[in-house]
Amino acid sequence: MTKFYANINKGDLLLVTHKDKRVFDGVVGMIAKRNIESQSMPIGSTVGRPQGYGQWMLLDMNDFETLGNFYGLTDAMKRYNEPIAVDHKDLVVPDNCEWIAKKVPVSW
């Protein structure tokens, strides 16, 4: 199985949206606080099916500084270590992940 990688440099802009468009129908910006190297992981791994049904990649919201009044705009509460799923054609967005990062450069 091919591993996917995302390298985000300190100061890079990340565009994030909410999975539920009723909560927030738009895109907000976040700036990386540090250099981030992330790699994909299998999702749905079970005995006899170690590769699962796809791969996912998560980022930690605490690694980003929000632009503007993010939590006021989105009516969202900030939770400790809330994950952000990377949206890519070869990656799965987990059901329990509310925030989705758009246009993250992913390589393999």
Side-chain angles (χ1 to χ4, degrees):
M1 178 179 285
T2 303
K3 280 267 195 195
F4 295 94
Y5 299 91
N7 291 314
I8 300 168
N9 297 316
K10 181 178 180 178
D12 282 356
L13 175 65
L14 188 72
L15 299 177
V16 178
T17 187
H18 198 277
K19 183 187 273 187
D20 185 354
K21 298 302 177 202
R22 293 172 297 177
V23 173
F24 179 68
D25 187 16
V27 177
V28 292
M30 297 182 141
I31 301 291
K33 295 179 187 176
R34 62 180 185 87
N35 292 337
I36 302 166
E37 294 178 5
S38 186
Q39 66 181 10
S40 62
M41 301 169 287
I43 186 169
S45 299
T46 59
V47 175
R49 190 175 173 184
Q51 301 303 321
Y53 58 84
Q55 295 185 69
W56 61 341
M57 186 182 301
L58 298 178
L59 303 170
D60 185 348
M61 191 173 283
N62 293 330
D63 290 333
F64 297 92
E65 185 68 38
T66 59
L67 295 177
N69 186 10
F70 174 77
Y71 297 102
L73 287 172
T74 62
D75 290 331
M77 295 177 5
K78 184 174 182 180
R79 297 182 195 106
Y80 182 70
N81 287 341
E82 187 164 13
I84 303 171
V86 174
D87 183 31
H88 186 267
K89 66 181 179 75
D90 296 315
L91 297 172
V92 175
V93 174
D95 292 336
N96 63 342
C97 194
E98 295 181 3
W99 297 101
I100 302 169
K102 302 284 188 179
K103 299 183 180 178
V104 175
V106 174
S107 60
W108 58 91

